[in-house]
Amino acid sequence: MLKPELIPYHYVSLDINHWYVAIKKGWVPIAEAMKEKVEKEFENMEENDDVAVYIQLLKLRHELMLSYLHPDSVTNIEKAYKNAKQAKENVAESNLTDLIEFYFNFFTGMYHFRTRDLVDALTYYRIAEKHLDLLEDQAEANKAEFYFKVSEVYYYMKETYFSMNYAKRAYAIFDRQDKVDEKPTYGKQKVQCQFVIFGNWLDKMCYEEALDTANKSLTDAKEIDEKHLIGSAHFNVGLCYNQLEELDKAEYHFQRSYDIHKQQGHIYESKALFNLAYVKAKQNDLKVATALYKEGNVVAKRHENQEIIEKLKLIKGLYLSYDLNILRETFKFFKKKSLYGDMEEYAVAVAEFLTNKEKRHEAVEFYQMAIEARRQIQRGKHLHEI
């Protein structure tokens, strides 16, 4: 029996590129179909190390996409990461192109961001950026995607200047591309950039700018009718009102966010639940706060969202049972994961709560945690300037 003729790798590369476009756009059915097509073509493709590694990298990127859109159906991220890493290690470093080096470090950074290992994520992003500068034919939209992902990790590390800079660069490219294309297709990406810009305004305590940005992103999300983005935009408006201590308005938007994300079964429903429970606890509605706390734990465990599981301990330890040892567990988690922004914010909140209860000795411990977190953030800024 004759063997089938080998498929030239450049033909498969075209389908790989279509697959990547579908991933970036979040077009799950198309991405799934292209993934299956590429895998079948690869079985009969002429040997090419770059394509072999690239396919494994896109499998990782594919799983990362699914982990955000359909978190309860995803179990293969760790396996995909190991396979991508092994595929790269099987090829001599001198034979790897800048394109492969860029995507390996970019997607590995995304993987570590997904697991909230922020320092590792940033390390790989910075390596990826060096290769990005060497890619003369790199599409503007790909650069924008990279800038956006970098802005996310800087945001979580509370590196406001860097985060805002990258988010605005990404937004400008997406907006420029929409004006060039006959049919605008980057509305979703522009809203996501607005989310990061909003978060940075909030961190800078520029509440008027933050609320304006949050409301604009809500309007834009409704215009493109993206349910997940609408839910996330409501969440951001709620965060702003929470900071302004307008708790009734905050509760309304957190509830809207939760309703939307619950309907979709999205991982963000656990974030909305935590914040809703936190607001109800601050309103001293402990009966409702207790019910939301219990529901939040169930939802967070279902999504395997360790960050929210730990944050829920803040509500239990401070409002429901008053156990500072439970609170300390959360701050150990923040420190381990380099979540110094959260560490500072919640340490100050806990310290102020304890001070108001005239437990000043206990408050000092948490003020010291906030100071330590601020020092780590400042130290990080100096490191990034090297």
Side-chain angles (χ1 to χ4, degrees):
M1 183 175 179
L2 293 174
K3 291 183 179 181
E5 186 176 349
L6 293 178
I7 302 172
Y9 68 84
H10 59 270
Y11 287 149
V12 182
S13 296
L14 290 173
D15 285 334
I16 290 174
N17 290 334
H18 291 151
W19 177 21
Y20 188 24
V21 169
I23 290 172
K24 290 189 293 182
K25 297 289 187 181
W27 297 335
V28 176
I30 296 175
E32 294 281 13
M34 292 307 303
K35 177 176 181 287
E36 184 177 351
K37 183 180 181 183
V38 167
E39 287 175 334
K40 288 181 179 178
E41 290 174 339
F42 181 67
E43 293 177 1
N44 297 310
M45 189 194 81
E46 61 186 19
E47 187 174 342
N48 183 282
D49 288 338
D50 273 355
V51 174
V53 176
Y54 192 25
I55 288 174
Q56 292 300 326
L57 289 172
L58 280 192
K59 286 182 180 181
L60 171 59
R61 181 69 178 86
H62 187 99
E63 294 299 329
L64 287 164
M65 170 195 68
L66 294 177
S67 74
Y68 285 102
L69 299 176
H70 304 290
D72 292 332
S73 66
V74 177
T75 58
N76 297 321
I77 293 179
E78 187 69 28
K79 180 181 177 182
Y81 169 64
K82 289 179 179 177
N83 288 343
K85 187 177 180 181
Q86 187 62 54
K88 180 177 180 289
E89 290 174 351
N90 288 339
V91 179
E93 189 172 343
S94 59
N95 293 336
L96 292 171
T97 64
D98 285 313
L99 185 65
I100 292 299
E101 290 284 6
F102 167 71
Y103 281 124
F104 173 77
N105 287 288
F106 182 24
F107 297 164
T108 300
M110 290 176 65
Y111 164 78
H112 285 295
F113 178 76
R114 187 71 179 83
T115 59
R116 285 296 183 268
D117 296 311
L118 301 182
V119 174
D120 287 340
L122 183 58
T123 298
Y124 281 102
Y125 283 156
R126 293 178 73 184
I127 296 171
E129 189 162 20
K130 293 177 182 177
H131 291 283
L132 177 64
D133 294 338
L134 298 173
L135 303 179
E136 296 180 1
D137 61 343
Q138 188 68 15
E140 282 287 281
N142 286 351
K143 285 186 178 181
E145 183 197 25
F146 175 75
Y147 293 151
F148 169 72
K149 292 299 181 183
V150 175
S151 76
E152 279 188 313
V153 74
Y154 274 130
Y155 169 70
Y156 274 87
M157 296 180 80
K158 301 305 176 185
E159 300 282 9
T160 304
Y161 170 81
F162 291 102
S163 179
M164 187 79 87
N165 178 268
Y166 276 100
K168 287 184 174 181
R169 288 165 72 182
Y171 184 91
I173 293 174
F174 285 133
D175 190 49
R176 186 163 61 246
Q177 197 67 42
D178 260 352
K179 291 175 180 176
V180 171
D181 294 345
E182 291 183 9
K183 183 178 180 181
T185 58
Y186 291 103
K188 176 180 176 181
Q189 288 83 351
K190 288 193 290 185
V191 170
Q192 289 172 328
C193 290
Q194 288 175 327
F195 287 169
V196 177
I197 293 168
F198 153 79
N200 284 294
W201 281 130
L202 198 64
D203 287 345
K204 293 175 69 175
M205 294 184 286
C206 299
Y207 298 124
E208 183 177 346
E209 291 87 347
L211 191 57
D212 286 345
T213 304
N215 281 320
K216 184 179 187 309
S217 68
L218 178 58
T219 300
D220 292 349
K222 288 179 178 178
E223 187 175 320
I224 60 177
D225 196 27
E226 281 279 351
K227 296 299 182 186
H228 163 58
L229 295 181
I230 295 170
S232 296
H234 274 295
F235 180 83
N236 289 343
V237 176
L239 283 179
C240 200
Y241 281 124
N242 182 52
Q243 289 292 326
L244 293 167
E245 291 298 323
E246 297 186 40
L247 298 183
D248 289 341
K249 291 181 180 179
E251 178 189 353
Y252 168 79
H253 286 284
F254 286 143
Q255 185 67 56
R256 292 290 296 117
S257 176
Y258 172 55
D259 291 342
I260 292 170
H261 289 312
K262 181 180 180 181
Q263 188 177 30
Q264 292 193 309
H266 196 281
I267 192 171
Y268 281 11
E269 68 175 310
S270 53
K271 287 179 61 176
L273 265 175
F274 161 70
N275 282 275
L276 194 55
Y278 192 36
V279 165
K280 297 306 291 183
K282 290 203 295 184
Q283 291 174 321
N284 204 34
D285 191 346
L286 298 185
K287 182 178 179 181
V288 174
T290 299
L292 290 168
Y293 163 80
K294 291 178 179 178
E295 185 180 0
N297 261 308
V298 171
V299 172
K301 287 176 182 176
R302 187 175 77 235
H303 289 302
E304 298 182 356
N305 191 336
Q306 192 61 38
E307 181 179 338
I308 297 301
I309 292 171
E310 295 297 332
K311 283 184 175 180
L312 282 164
K313 292 178 182 177
L314 292 169
I315 297 170
K316 182 178 181 181
L318 200 59
Y319 295 97
L320 306 183
S321 63
Y322 188 67
D323 186 338
L324 296 187
N325 285 327
I326 293 176
L327 293 179
R328 292 182 184 108
E329 291 177 16
T330 300
F331 287 99
K332 286 180 182 177
F333 173 81
F334 289 155
K335 188 172 183 178
K336 179 181 178 182
K337 292 292 187 178
S338 301
L339 294 170
Y340 295 116
D342 283 334
M343 184 175 172
E344 180 186 29
E345 176 186 347
Y346 289 109
V348 170
V350 170
E352 289 178 346
F353 178 89
L354 294 172
T355 300
N356 291 335
K357 296 292 184 181
E358 298 188 355
K359 297 183 181 294
R360 293 182 176 84
H361 178 73
E362 292 90 340
V364 169
E365 175 186 354
F366 291 93
Y367 278 127
Q368 288 175 335
M369 287 185 189
I371 292 169
E372 179 188 354
R374 174 48 49 183
R375 284 174 177 166
Q376 290 295 334
I377 292 170
Q378 294 298 330
R379 182 173 178 268
K381 288 179 179 176
H382 293 307
L383 288 174
H384 300 322
E385 290 169 0
I386 295 174

